[in-house]
Amino acid sequence: GDVYKRQRSNLMKAYLPTSKTPIRTGKKVAVVGGGNVAMDAARSALRLGAETVYIVYRRGMAELPARKEEVEHAEEEGIIFKTLCNPVEIHANDEGFVKSITCIEMELGEPDASGRRRPIEKVGSDFDLPVDCVIMSLGTTPNPLIKNTTPGLEVNRKGGIVVNEAGLTSHQNVYAGGDAVTGAATVILAMGAGKTAATAIDEYIKNKNA
């Protein structure tokens, strides 16, 4: 989805008001999340004309999951980091458009199952951030449609399709790769999975017809 949005902006010129499907551009934007996609969304918002862009993240700078380079580039471009903040409500104006987002301050407690310190709300620390656009850039999980409509397809507890080292699923002759297997990851890993599966399929066809 993120790659498609970048293509719309960069290749299909959806940033132009004359576009058939123009991208709505906010002047004050809040991006909720702390991963690489959040950094990309924030920096893209600047390029699309935003005057102020916030990264709203419930943990601290040290816990940001984005690559260090992505964070540094975002800082260099003027992205404002509202760390140790968690959004609790988005408010609309009379026309139904975003006018602000209510956040609550957080503090870090003991490490949770992920090994990162668990964020805890500070009671009574709510504050409003005036914005006209909110982008949710949180963790993603594989679309459940495939597993729910494919009897016998083995998936893990997070819904990712289980494959062997060649990309073969529990269904004979069916291969999978990318985010549907690994969960949210990089385009490079998805491309690598595709090449691995293509090689395995080619070998299978050769051996079958030998």
Side-chain angles (χ1 to χ4, degrees):
D2 176 57
V3 172
Y4 173 66
K5 281 178 274 186
R6 277 183 284 174
Q7 288 175 337
R8 286 226 305 124
S9 175
N10 297 331
L11 301 180
M12 297 168 68
K13 302 188 185 301
Y15 58 85
L16 296 174
T18 53
S19 169
K20 291 182 179 179
T21 56
I23 293 176
R24 181 178 293 279
T25 306
K27 292 301 180 183
K28 291 186 177 182
V29 179
V31 179
V32 181
N36 292 324
V37 174
M39 302 303 141
D40 183 62
R43 295 169 69 195
S44 293
L46 279 181
R47 286 162 175 72
L48 289 169
E51 297 169 356
T52 307
V53 181
Y54 302 100
I55 289 284
V56 180
Y57 181 60
R58 62 181 186 156
R59 290 186 167 95
M61 291 295 289
E63 288 78 29
L64 282 167
R67 292 190 307 123
K68 181 181 178 183
E69 292 86 351
E70 292 280 353
V71 176
E72 290 176 347
H73 291 160
E75 288 180 308
E76 289 170 0
E77 293 193 46
I79 304 297
I80 300 170
F81 283 78
K82 290 285 187 181
T83 54
L84 290 173
C85 291
N86 202 37
V88 293
E89 189 174 2
I90 298 174
H91 305 281
N93 60 21
D94 294 338
E95 297 177 332
F97 294 108
V98 174
K99 67 175 183 180
S100 66
I101 183 172
T102 297
C103 300
I104 188 167
E105 294 181 10
M106 312 292 284
E107 57 187 354
L108 297 180
E110 295 300 315
D112 60 16
S114 70
R116 293 181 298 175
R117 295 175 64 190
R118 186 169 62 89
I120 303 169
E121 293 184 353
K122 288 184 179 179
V123 179
S125 64
D126 306 45
F127 67 94
D128 280 352
L129 202 59
V131 294
D132 55 9
C133 178
V134 177
I135 301 171
M136 306 304 287
S137 184
L138 305 172
T140 57
T141 55
N143 191 317
L145 180 64
I146 297 176
K147 71 180 180 67
N148 291 342
T149 58
T150 312
L153 182 67
E154 185 182 357
V155 297
N156 59 30
R157 63 183 182 84
K158 292 185 177 180
I161 301 171
V162 175
V163 300
N164 67 10
E165 64 278 358
L168 180 64
T169 71
S170 57
H171 276 245
Q172 185 179 8
N173 302 339
V174 177
Y175 292 75
D179 290 7
V181 172
T182 61
T186 65
V187 174
I188 297 299
L189 285 176
M191 292 170 64
K195 292 182 69 174
T196 297
T199 301
I201 293 169
D202 184 55
E203 286 296 320
Y204 173 78
I205 293 173
K206 286 179 180 177
N207 292 334
K208 185 178 180 180
N209 296 331

